[in-house]
């Protein structure tokens, strides 16, 4: 476990748990370090397995005949007590492929049909807030069609579907709460010309 001496589970929740790690510092001193994880088994946290399996999926969905809009959600998030703009996202179920999770989650959150493209290495899982959690998410890129609706959202979700062009994305970045992963991808979208997914095959 390298510098991780032990991992002790402190909570027993369905979607998120706290762990106390016993860690060895560079100077040899040992102290506790607290982190959150999506997994329920302390032997499956990434500090132990060293395997970066994605916990979640983010969907970068391009919309419209001109491929000039992106699909966003404006979602109420309890940790900030307000709404934040994000790309549609969700958890990857056990034994579920990342692309399948993306198609499923896009439909559940937005009602849209999502046609993924093979994005190769761009789909690998990246870490979210690595100072406090081992959560990682992979991104699925593709094109969306259909009419947005909230028919398949869970009762606990407060999600508004937003189809945004580049001008609206600029406004959102200037004026609204935005998740950081979404913010960086919106900056890319604003700076791109033509099909914003053209970089995948460049």
């Amino acid at each position: 476990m390298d510098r991780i001496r032990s991992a002790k589970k402190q909570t027993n929740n369905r979607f998120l748990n706290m762990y106390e790690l016993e860690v060895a510092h560079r100077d040899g001193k040992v102290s506790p370090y607290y982190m959150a994880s999506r997994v329920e088994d302390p032997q499956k946290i990434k500090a132990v397995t060293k395997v970066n399996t994605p916990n979640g999926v983010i969907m970068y969905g391009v919309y419209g005949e001109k491929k000039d809009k992106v699909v966003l959600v404006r979602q109420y998030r309890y940790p900030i007590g307000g709404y934040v703009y994000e790309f549609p996202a969700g958890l990857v179920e056990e034994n579920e492929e990342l692309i399948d999770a993306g198609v499923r989650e896009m439909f559940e959150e937005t009602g849209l049909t999502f046609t993924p493209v093979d994005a190769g290495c761009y789909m690998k899982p990246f870490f979210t807030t690595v100072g406090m959690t081992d959560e990682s998410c992979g991104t699925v890129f593709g094109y969306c069609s259909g009419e947005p609706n909230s028919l398949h959202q869970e009762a606990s979700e407060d999600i508004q579907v937003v189809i945004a062009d580049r001008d609206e994305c600029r406004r959102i970045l200037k004026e609204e709460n935005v998740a950081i992963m979404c913010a960086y991808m919106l900056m890319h979208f604003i700076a791109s010309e033509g099909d914003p997914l053209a970089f995948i095959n460049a």
Side-chain angles (χ1 to χ4, degrees), residues 55 91-97 101 104-105 108:
N55 307 101
L91 296 179
V92 179
E93 297 177 355
E94 189 172 0
N95 299 320
E96 185 178 34
E97 294 295 328
R104 174 183 57 77
E105 285 287 352
E108 291 176 359

Side-chain angles (χ1 to χ4, degrees), residues 38 46 52-59 86 88-92 98 121-129 133-141 181 185:
R38 294 284 189 185
K46 294 182 177 75
N52 185 10
T53 302
N55 307 101
V57 58
I58 301 168
M59 290 77 73
E86 308 171 65
L91 296 179
V92 179
L98 187 71
C121 66
Y122 296 113
M123 294 171 51
K124 66 175 278 192
F126 293 100
F127 293 103
T128 55
T129 310
T133 178
D134 67 350
E135 181 188 59
S136 66
C137 294
T139 303
V140 178
F141 301 83
M181 291 180 288
M185 287 192 275

Side-chain angles (χ1 to χ4, degrees), residues 68-138:
D68 58 350
K69 299 178 177 66
V70 291
V71 179
L72 305 174
V73 292
R74 180 177 180 266
Q75 183 166 193
Y76 189 90
R77 290 295 196 179
Y78 296 109
I80 64 170
Y83 289 90
V84 62
Y85 282 80
E86 308 171 65
F87 277 96
L91 296 179
V92 179
E93 297 177 355
E94 189 172 0
N95 299 320
E96 185 178 34
E97 294 295 328
L98 187 71
I99 288 179
D100 295 335
V103 172
R104 174 183 57 77
E105 285 287 352
M106 180 68 83
F107 182 72
E108 291 176 359
E109 292 198 352
T110 71
L112 297 172
T113 298
F114 186 45
T115 304
V117 299
D118 182 2
C121 66
Y122 296 113
M123 294 171 51
K124 66 175 278 192
F126 293 100
F127 293 103
T128 55
T129 310
V130 75
M132 61 183 292
T133 178
D134 67 350
E135 181 188 59
S136 66
C137 294

Side-chain angles (χ1 to χ4, degrees), residues 10-11 15-21 33-39 45-46 55 128-136:
Q10 294 192 312
T11 60
F15 295 112
L16 187 66
N17 284 287
M18 290 293 299
Y19 289 87
E20 178 182 327
L21 307 181
Y33 189 95
Y34 300 94
M35 58 163 280
S37 180
R38 294 284 189 185
V39 303
I45 63 174
K46 294 182 177 75
N55 307 101
T128 55
T129 310
V130 75
M132 61 183 292
T133 178
D134 67 350
E135 181 188 59
S136 66

Side-chain angles (χ1 to χ4, degrees), residues 1 41-53 134:
M1 297 178 72
D41 182 348
Q43 294 304 308
K44 293 183 178 180
I45 63 174
K46 294 182 177 75
V48 174
T49 66
K50 309 297 186 187
V51 177
N52 185 10
T53 302
D134 67 350

